[in-house]
């Protein structure tokens, strides 16, 4: 039996088919749900909302990114919704990004890899790719790399995040003069070296905030084989043009995640929330296509 | 209404009552369950096992630490077990440490704080204290600090972890010559400055691996107000004597988590697994008491 196609190759095929590397972030928030879902029990409302968004963007986006925190805030019932929404997205032909930012000592990280990247019983893995922490070092990543090798999974390693406070640690100047995140980029490239697919892209990608000037370009240079999960476009102020450098070498060299402007497009656009989300996703995809061509 | 007692003060009171700052780590693993739980459906087996361990150590330990990864590996059903075991431990008079190592941008971290540290509906918070990531910087911690202020919660910030690979990032020499984790220690002390309780200890603690020579002593010096969550005693090779420096200033200055040697004591000791765990917990508590006095 051959292993399943590697994550970056599945992503590259999806981008080729759909024309833009757009990921829709599922960040359900009780207080921003459409009117028809207000007053519905929150877990039920999140499920109907996320399923509706998945269906609305399935033609346009290549992936959805489920932000675990918002589901976990509803307890185990919310985690069950996470599982069902992930399965629904997979059935709709979308790649599933579990945005969970997990990481731990190796024997514990093995359990996180089992939770998100390994097949479960007779079921496929919960996600195609998950976000992981890097602070604990190389051995803490090994179980995730094992899942990439065995099951064609992928990981996005925290590198330079989109929040203003990211500089507190990630930008610290090292003895050799470089900011910390440049060094971490070298580690990420190293971890991913044995996991480069036919696309030329590695199963080991990196989380990069598009909110910081020049960061996407530098990350592209330091990480020639990584898919960059680009965050901060939309609610945090970055523009599609800011992510263009990610696509300099490959149309799937970046995966641009947009959450709130698409999810809550009905607040601005009015009309049916599904239609508003579909229209806004199409608008972002068009801008990304233009940006990637320029890049 | 006054806020509930701060986490470090609750810990200090528990240590005074029980005589040793022992935390039992709940790391359930299918392949190491006692014979009577083999063949039982895993979530059911984990629940019976963890409840049995809680009851066995409730007189001796001050806290239990639930390692989320092992529960998440069973999916949302496992997360529901996590919730029930945490409630059972609280009812048994134990402090609850959620070992989840969460962290994200501020608006998302707010959802993680809601998941673990805020009261949920009419229920008390899931945990007294949770482990959190530090790589994303100060603003990513703010929602957790808010929960500490409002609900008397606590956090343990990842500082210098117990795994061999921790040095890959945490030991990197900064431009000023110090290893990265020394700088992070300064940030942790700063984040916790406004949250020092009557005990003199802060709600903002730090995760420190006792497996590295000299690290506990240095962490104690750099973080005079932090409770140090000390990991690596037992399965990872550190000895109770290695954690003594944590207790130099205060008998609750450290919280020593021991998992597998207590959970799986029946493998060595034989007999009933609950009795074996109780006896091994008592033995560790005795050694810690001696070490803390020496310290």
């Amino acid at each position: 039996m051959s292993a399943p196609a590697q994550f970056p190759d599945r992503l590259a095929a999806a981008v080729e088919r759909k024309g833009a590397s757009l990921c829709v972030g599922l960040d359900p928030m009780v207080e921003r749900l459409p009117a028809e879902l207000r007053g519905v029990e929150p877990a039920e409302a999140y499920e109907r909302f996320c399923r509706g968004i998945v269906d609305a963007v399935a033609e346009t986006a290549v992936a959805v990114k489920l932000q675990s925190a918002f589901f976990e805030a509803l307890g185990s019932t919310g985690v069950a919704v996470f599982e069902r929404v992930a399965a629904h997205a997979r059935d709709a032909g979308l790649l599933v990004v579990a945005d969970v930012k997990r990481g731990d000592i190796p024997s514990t990280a093995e359990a996180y890899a089992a939770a998100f990247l390994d097949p479960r019983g007779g079921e496929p893995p919960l996600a195609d790719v998950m976000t992981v922490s890097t602070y604990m070092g190389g051995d803490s990543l090994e179980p995730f790399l094992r899942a990439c090798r065995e099951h064609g999974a992928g990981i996005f390693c925290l590198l330079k995040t989109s929040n203003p406070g990211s500089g507190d640690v990630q930008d610290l100047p090292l003895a050799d003069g470089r900011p910390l995140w440049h060094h971490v980029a070298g580690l990420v490239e190293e971890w991913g070296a044995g996991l480069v697919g036919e696309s030329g892209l590695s199963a080991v990608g990196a989380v990069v905030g598009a909110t910081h000037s020049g960061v996407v370009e530098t990350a592209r240079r330091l990480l020639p084989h990584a898919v960059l999960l680009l965050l901060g476009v939309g609610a945090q102020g970055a523009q599609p043009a800011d992510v263009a450098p990610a696509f300099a070498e490959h149309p799937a060299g970046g995966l641009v995640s947009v959450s709130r402007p698409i999810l809550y497009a009905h607040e601005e656009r009015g009309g049916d929330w599904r239609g508003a989300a579909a229209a806004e996703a199409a608008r972002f995809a068009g801008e990304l296509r233009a940006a990637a061509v320029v890049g």
Side-chain angles (χ1 to χ4, degrees), chain A residues 138-160:
Chain A
D139 61 356
S140 75
L141 274 297
E142 186 46 52
F144 303 114
L145 301 179
R146 194 255 326 133
C148 293
R149 280 192 299 272
E150 290 179 5
H151 307 299
I155 56 174
F156 290 118
C157 300
L158 289 190
L159 182 63
K160 171 65 181 166

Side-chain angles (χ1 to χ4, degrees), chain A residues 123-277:
Chain A
E123 297 293 309
L126 192 56
D128 291 279
V129 55
M130 66 188 280
T131 53
V132 298
S133 182
T134 46
Y135 184 73
M136 292 181 67
D139 61 356
S140 75
L141 274 297
E142 186 46 52
F144 303 114
L145 301 179
R146 194 255 326 133
C148 293
R149 280 192 299 272
E150 290 179 5
H151 307 299
I155 56 174
F156 290 118
C157 300
L158 289 190
L159 182 63
K160 171 65 181 166
T161 57
S162 60
N163 56 313
S166 66
D168 292 349
V169 175
Q170 297 161 25
D171 291 353
L172 288 174
L174 298 181
D176 63 12
R178 297 176 307 160
L180 172 64
W181 75 268
H182 287 205
H183 183 89
V184 175
L187 294 175
V188 171
E189 184 71 10
E190 198 177 292
W191 298 329
L195 287 157
V196 176
E198 291 174 8
S199 57
L201 296 165
S202 171
V204 180
V207 175
V208 174
T211 45
H212 314 287
S213 171
V215 157
V216 177
E217 198 165 359
T218 305
R220 179 73 296 153
R221 182 170 50 75
L222 297 173
L223 288 160
H225 300 96
V227 178
L228 307 181
L229 178 64
L230 297 155
L231 303 181
V233 173
Q236 295 179 65
Q239 300 300 317
D242 295 327
V243 301
F247 300 99
E249 306 289 335
H250 196 291
L255 178 60
V256 183
S257 190
V258 181
S259 303
R260 297 167 208 188
I262 292 175
L263 296 184
Y264 306 112
H266 60 275
E267 294 173 0
E268 297 284 327
R269 287 177 174 257
D272 179 69
W273 54 277
R274 284 157 289 231

Side-chain angles (χ1 to χ4, degrees), chain A residues 24-187:
Chain A
V24 175
L26 299 176
D27 293 12
M29 295 169 161
V30 169
E31 65 279 13
R32 296 187 70 180
L33 290 172
E36 73 177 80
L37 294 173
R38 302 259 172 84
V40 175
E41 185 273 318
E44 166 72 18
Y46 278 17
E47 182 157 1
R48 284 163 57 184
F49 181 60
C50 291
R51 283 175 179 265
I53 295 289
V54 164
D55 294 339
V57 305
E59 296 294 306
T60 310
V62 295
V64 286
K65 178 174 82 66
L66 285 82
Q67 174 46 261
S68 187
F70 297 109
F71 298 88
E72 291 184 62
L74 302 184
S76 54
T77 315
V79 177
V81 172
F82 182 105
E83 293 170 334
R84 289 194 296 272
V85 170
H88 181 68
R90 189 177 58 238
D91 292 346
L94 291 161
L95 293 165
V96 175
V97 183
D99 194 359
V100 293
K101 301 187 175 65
R102 302 297 197 258
D104 215 300
I105 63 169
S107 55
T108 302
E110 197 59 69
Y112 280 131
F116 297 102
L117 301 181
D118 289 345
R120 305 212 277 184
E123 297 293 309
L126 192 56
D128 291 279
V129 55
M130 66 188 280
T131 53
V132 298
S133 182
T134 46
Y135 184 73
M136 292 181 67
D139 61 356
S140 75
L141 274 297
E142 186 46 52
F144 303 114
L145 301 179
R146 194 255 326 133
C148 293
R149 280 192 299 272
E150 290 179 5
H151 307 299
I155 56 174
F156 290 118
C157 300
L158 289 190
L159 182 63
K160 171 65 181 166
T161 57
S162 60
N163 56 313
S166 66
D168 292 349
V169 175
Q170 297 161 25
D171 291 353
L172 288 174
L174 298 181
D176 63 12
R178 297 176 307 160
L180 172 64
W181 75 268
H182 287 205
H183 183 89
V184 175
L187 294 175

